[in-house]
Amino acid sequence: MKTIIANWKMNVGVRESVALARGTLLTLRGRKNIPELVICPPFVALSEVRKIVARSHAALGAQNMSWEDQGAFTGEISPRMFEELGVTHVILGHSERRHVLGETDEMIQKKVQKALEHNLVVILCVGETKAQRDAGEERDIVKEQLLKAFDGLRIKNAEKIFIAYEPVWAIGTGQSAEVPQMLEMHEWIKRVLHERFKEIPASQFRVLYGGSVTPDNAYQFLRESLVDGVLVGGASVKINQFNEIVEAASEVLEAQS
Ligand code: PGA
């Protein structure tokens, strides 16, 4: 299977989200082999988008969440609220939250733990900055992010986990990773997780690529067997582009079927 996560970020309001959700579902129509689709609108649009995706093949995801269930945490959104909203997936540790909003590995660990407690599917983002890659530190950085995110946690299988490898320098820049660079990191991520959770085979961990995925490069990523899907930001709010990315995933699935 291939999974496509649409991360709309803070780019659309409620009305636009409704239209975009309808358009996004249309991209699946008439296809024989459809990828798994997860739509992540802004919080304020979750309940309206839920009505649209409810009877579809798409799942609903949130872009972040609190590590607390409830209480005096002004401005935060808890996983308990997701239950009412039909949210099944949550993006955690996105680079914009780490680097712009100051989220630490410790905060991300608490969120991962809480999300798994609530039976949510975690989409954990990891990735190095340009300076870290230039210094040859990308493997160490990503390993540290993974080990810290899962610190103290026990999992029996990898069903509820996606890792999105998203090099910070590739996000929203138009400069995606090269396929060999990406493959090396995907393999590394699977290896690190297998070493950490010994009883789970490396191949069971699903790893996505994210960072300037476009219609022009989606196929080259998706056709790789080490790539379980893509996390799409900018191109997910441009329906024509998103349609072509879904098309690329369908082609790959068709070729594999
Ligand atoms: P982008 O964003 O596709 O616009 O680079 C990806 C992401 O932030 O997850």
mmCIF file of all heavy atoms in Angstrom, residues 136-159:
data_model
loop_
_atom_site.group_PDB
_atom_site.id
_atom_site.type_symbol
_atom_site.label_atom_id
_atom_site.label_comp_id
_atom_site.label_asym_id
_atom_site.label_seq_id
_atom_site.Cartn_x
_atom_site.Cartn_y
_atom_site.Cartn_z
ATOM 1 N N GLY A 136 27.284 16.459 7.902
ATOM 2 C CA GLY A 136 27.261 14.992 7.872
ATOM 3 C C GLY A 136 26.567 14.376 9.084
ATOM 4 O O GLY A 136 26.827 13.224 9.444
ATOM 5 N N GLU A 137 25.681 15.137 9.714
ATOM 6 C CA GLU A 137 25.068 14.657 10.958
ATOM 7 C C GLU A 137 23.656 14.119 10.787
ATOM 8 O O GLU A 137 22.971 13.858 11.779
ATOM 9 C CB GLU A 137 24.999 15.822 11.967
ATOM 10 C CG GLU A 137 26.339 16.281 12.455
ATOM 11 C CD GLU A 137 26.267 17.630 13.191
ATOM 12 O OE1 GLU A 137 25.168 18.204 13.292
ATOM 13 O OE2 GLU A 137 27.329 18.086 13.630
ATOM 14 N N GLU A 138 23.189 13.983 9.547
ATOM 15 C CA GLU A 138 21.767 13.674 9.354
ATOM 16 C C GLU A 138 21.343 12.360 10.012
ATOM 17 O O GLU A 138 20.268 12.272 10.613
ATOM 18 C CB GLU A 138 21.381 13.712 7.863
ATOM 19 C CG GLU A 138 22.024 12.690 6.967
ATOM 20 C CD GLU A 138 23.382 13.128 6.424
ATOM 21 O OE1 GLU A 138 23.949 14.102 6.952
ATOM 22 O OE2 GLU A 138 23.893 12.473 5.497
ATOM 23 N N ARG A 139 22.202 11.349 9.946
ATOM 24 C CA ARG A 139 21.815 10.071 10.557
ATOM 25 C C ARG A 139 21.705 10.198 12.073
ATOM 26 O O ARG A 139 20.764 9.712 12.692
ATOM 27 C CB ARG A 139 22.849 8.996 10.234
ATOM 28 C CG ARG A 139 22.763 8.487 8.823
ATOM 29 C CD ARG A 139 23.968 7.614 8.563
ATOM 30 N NE ARG A 139 23.772 6.852 7.359
ATOM 31 C CZ ARG A 139 23.599 5.535 7.306
ATOM 32 N NH1 ARG A 139 23.634 4.799 8.401
ATOM 33 N NH2 ARG A 139 23.415 4.922 6.163
ATOM 34 N N ASP A 140 22.710 10.858 12.660
ATOM 35 C CA ASP A 140 22.709 11.001 14.128
ATOM 36 C C ASP A 140 21.494 11.797 14.605
ATOM 37 O O ASP A 140 20.874 11.459 15.607
ATOM 38 C CB ASP A 140 23.979 11.728 14.600
ATOM 39 C CG ASP A 140 25.210 10.881 14.359
ATOM 40 O OD1 ASP A 140 25.046 9.663 14.139
ATOM 41 O OD2 ASP A 140 26.322 11.433 14.362
ATOM 42 N N ILE A 141 21.200 12.860 13.876
ATOM 43 C CA ILE A 141 20.075 13.728 14.271
ATOM 44 C C ILE A 141 18.763 12.956 14.213
ATOM 45 O O ILE A 141 17.956 12.977 15.150
ATOM 46 C CB ILE A 141 20.010 14.964 13.331
ATOM 47 C CG1 ILE A 141 21.223 15.869 13.549
ATOM 48 C CG2 ILE A 141 18.694 15.730 13.508
ATOM 49 C CD1 ILE A 141 21.311 16.514 14.908
ATOM 50 N N VAL A 142 18.563 12.252 13.118
ATOM 51 C CA VAL A 142 17.294 11.531 12.944
ATOM 52 C C VAL A 142 17.194 10.387 13.954
ATOM 53 O O VAL A 142 16.128 10.137 14.532
ATOM 54 C CB VAL A 142 17.153 11.052 11.477
ATOM 55 C CG1 VAL A 142 16.062 10.020 11.335
ATOM 56 C CG2 VAL A 142 16.858 12.253 10.575
ATOM 57 N N LYS A 143 18.305 9.734 14.210
ATOM 58 C CA LYS A 143 18.292 8.657 15.209
ATOM 59 C C LYS A 143 17.900 9.213 16.585
ATOM 60 O O LYS A 143 17.062 8.644 17.296
ATOM 61 C CB LYS A 143 19.679 8.007 15.289
ATOM 62 C CG LYS A 143 19.753 6.894 16.308
ATOM 63 C CD LYS A 143 21.108 6.207 16.283
ATOM 64 C CE LYS A 143 21.109 5.049 17.269
ATOM 65 N NZ LYS A 143 22.361 4.298 17.238
ATOM 66 N N GLU A 144 18.501 10.345 16.919
ATOM 67 C CA GLU A 144 18.202 10.956 18.218
ATOM 68 C C GLU A 144 16.723 11.354 18.305
ATOM 69 O O GLU A 144 16.056 11.136 19.321
ATOM 70 C CB GLU A 144 19.090 12.183 18.393
ATOM 71 C CG GLU A 144 19.052 12.743 19.785
ATOM 72 C CD GLU A 144 19.982 13.952 19.928
ATOM 73 O OE1 GLU A 144 21.063 13.973 19.287
ATOM 74 O OE2 GLU A 144 19.604 14.872 20.667
ATOM 75 N N GLN A 145 16.210 11.929 17.222
ATOM 76 C CA GLN A 145 14.790 12.329 17.221
ATOM 77 C C GLN A 145 13.889 11.109 17.419
ATOM 78 O O GLN A 145 12.913 11.154 18.168
ATOM 79 C CB GLN A 145 14.437 13.025 15.902
ATOM 80 C CG GLN A 145 15.056 14.420 15.773
ATOM 81 C CD GLN A 145 14.858 15.025 14.388
ATOM 82 O OE1 GLN A 145 14.618 14.319 13.402
ATOM 83 N NE2 GLN A 145 14.978 16.338 14.304
ATOM 84 N N LEU A 146 14.246 10.012 16.755
ATOM 85 C CA LEU A 146 13.421 8.796 16.869
ATOM 86 C C LEU A 146 13.500 8.222 18.284
ATOM 87 O O LEU A 146 12.483 7.911 18.901
ATOM 88 C CB LEU A 146 13.904 7.743 15.864
ATOM 89 C CG LEU A 146 13.608 8.024 14.386
ATOM 90 C CD1 LEU A 146 14.395 7.060 13.500
ATOM 91 C CD2 LEU A 146 12.117 7.919 14.091
ATOM 92 N N LEU A 147 14.731 8.091 18.776
ATOM 93 C CA LEU A 147 14.879 7.456 20.098
ATOM 94 C C LEU A 147 14.226 8.303 21.189
ATOM 95 O O LEU A 147 13.601 7.781 22.106
ATOM 96 C CB LEU A 147 16.357 7.203 20.399
ATOM 97 C CG LEU A 147 17.021 6.166 19.479
ATOM 98 C CD1 LEU A 147 18.481 5.949 19.872
ATOM 99 C CD2 LEU A 147 16.268 4.837 19.468
ATOM 100 N N LYS A 148 14.344 9.611 21.059
ATOM 101 C CA LYS A 148 13.718 10.479 22.078
ATOM 102 C C LYS A 148 12.202 10.449 21.968
ATOM 103 O O LYS A 148 11.505 10.474 22.979
ATOM 104 C CB LYS A 148 14.247 11.901 21.961
ATOM 105 C CG LYS A 148 15.671 12.009 22.470
ATOM 106 C CD LYS A 148 16.086 13.448 22.651
ATOM 107 C CE LYS A 148 17.405 13.534 23.417
ATOM 108 N NZ LYS A 148 18.012 14.852 23.271
ATOM 109 N N ALA A 149 11.683 10.409 20.762
ATOM 110 C CA ALA A 149 10.221 10.403 20.594
ATOM 111 C C ALA A 149 9.599 9.144 21.198
ATOM 112 O O ALA A 149 8.478 9.170 21.694
ATOM 113 C CB ALA A 149 9.853 10.509 19.112
ATOM 114 N N PHE A 150 10.339 8.036 21.138
ATOM 115 C CA PHE A 150 9.800 6.775 21.650
ATOM 116 C C PHE A 150 10.400 6.404 23.004
ATOM 117 O O PHE A 150 10.263 5.258 23.454
ATOM 118 C CB PHE A 150 10.046 5.639 20.641
ATOM 119 C CG PHE A 150 9.224 5.782 19.383
ATOM 120 C CD1 PHE A 150 9.822 6.079 18.173
ATOM 121 C CD2 PHE A 150 7.848 5.618 19.422
ATOM 122 C CE1 PHE A 150 9.059 6.223 17.015
ATOM 123 C CE2 PHE A 150 7.073 5.754 18.275
ATOM 124 C CZ PHE A 150 7.682 6.057 17.072
ATOM 125 N N ASP A 151 11.053 7.365 23.638
ATOM 126 C CA ASP A 151 11.725 7.076 24.917
ATOM 127 C C ASP A 151 10.738 6.484 25.931
ATOM 128 O O ASP A 151 9.679 7.059 26.196
ATOM 129 C CB ASP A 151 12.318 8.384 25.466
ATOM 130 C CG ASP A 151 13.218 8.114 26.658
ATOM 131 O OD1 ASP A 151 13.819 7.019 26.707
ATOM 132 O OD2 ASP A 151 13.300 8.974 27.552
ATOM 133 N N GLY A 152 11.102 5.350 26.451
ATOM 134 C CA GLY A 152 10.286 4.725 27.504
ATOM 135 C C GLY A 152 9.006 4.067 27.004
ATOM 136 O O GLY A 152 8.248 3.523 27.799
ATOM 137 N N LEU A 153 8.745 4.104 25.727
ATOM 138 C CA LEU A 153 7.487 3.552 25.215
ATOM 139 C C LEU A 153 7.673 2.115 24.753
ATOM 140 O O LEU A 153 8.718 1.752 24.217
ATOM 141 C CB LEU A 153 6.956 4.381 24.045
ATOM 142 C CG LEU A 153 6.694 5.856 24.331
ATOM 143 C CD1 LEU A 153 6.022 6.509 23.135
ATOM 144 C CD2 LEU A 153 5.812 6.002 25.546
ATOM 145 N N ARG A 154 6.630 1.341 24.999
ATOM 146 C CA ARG A 154 6.641 -0.032 24.506
ATOM 147 C C ARG A 154 5.567 -0.175 23.445
ATOM 148 O O ARG A 154 4.432 0.230 23.650
ATOM 149 C CB ARG A 154 6.302 -0.992 25.646
ATOM 150 C CG ARG A 154 7.424 -1.089 26.627
ATOM 151 C CD ARG A 154 7.730 -2.548 26.935
ATOM 152 N NE ARG A 154 7.751 -2.726 28.367
ATOM 153 C CZ ARG A 154 7.102 -3.678 28.998
ATOM 154 N NH1 ARG A 154 6.365 -4.551 28.318
ATOM 155 N NH2 ARG A 154 7.177 -3.778 30.304
ATOM 156 N N ILE A 155 5.914 -0.726 22.312
ATOM 157 C CA ILE A 155 4.871 -0.999 21.321
ATOM 158 C C ILE A 155 5.019 -2.439 20.850
ATOM 159 O O ILE A 155 6.120 -2.985 20.805
ATOM 160 C CB ILE A 155 4.918 -0.037 20.105
ATOM 161 C CG1 ILE A 155 6.295 -0.014 19.439
ATOM 162 C CG2 ILE A 155 4.503 1.368 20.494
ATOM 163 C CD1 ILE A 155 6.291 0.703 18.109
ATOM 164 N N LYS A 156 3.886 -3.042 20.535
ATOM 165 C CA LYS A 156 3.914 -4.452 20.134
ATOM 166 C C LYS A 156 4.012 -4.614 18.634
ATOM 167 O O LYS A 156 4.524 -5.586 18.131
ATOM 168 C CB LYS A 156 2.647 -5.160 20.630
ATOM 169 C CG LYS A 156 2.617 -5.343 22.129
ATOM 170 C CD LYS A 156 1.526 -6.346 22.503
ATOM 171 C CE LYS A 156 0.861 -5.985 23.812
ATOM 172 N NZ LYS A 156 -0.063 -4.842 23.763
ATOM 173 N N ASN A 157 3.449 -3.646 17.908
ATOM 174 C CA ASN A 157 3.596 -3.690 16.451
ATOM 175 C C ASN A 157 3.602 -2.263 15.924
ATOM 176 O O ASN A 157 3.361 -1.317 16.679
ATOM 177 C CB ASN A 157 2.479 -4.527 15.806
ATOM 178 C CG ASN A 157 1.122 -3.967 16.123
ATOM 179 O OD1 ASN A 157 0.848 -2.810 15.845
ATOM 180 N ND2 ASN A 157 0.271 -4.774 16.737
ATOM 181 N N ALA A 158 3.886 -2.145 14.632
ATOM 182 C CA ALA A 158 4.080 -0.806 14.074
ATOM 183 C C ALA A 158 2.828 -0.267 13.389
ATOM 184 O O ALA A 158 2.881 0.763 12.726
ATOM 185 C CB ALA A 158 5.252 -0.849 13.091
ATOM 186 N N GLU A 159 1.718 -0.960 13.607
ATOM 187 C CA GLU A 159 0.472 -0.591 12.932
ATOM 188 C C GLU A 159 0.045 0.863 13.119
ATOM 189 O O GLU A 159 -0.552 1.461 12.250
ATOM 190 C CB GLU A 159 -0.662 -1.427 13.522
ATOM 191 C CG GLU A 159 -1.231 -2.459 12.607
ATOM 192 C CD GLU A 159 -2.097 -3.414 13.405
ATOM 193 O OE1 GLU A 159 -2.965 -2.941 14.149
ATOM 194 O OE2 GLU A 159 -1.861 -4.635 13.272
#
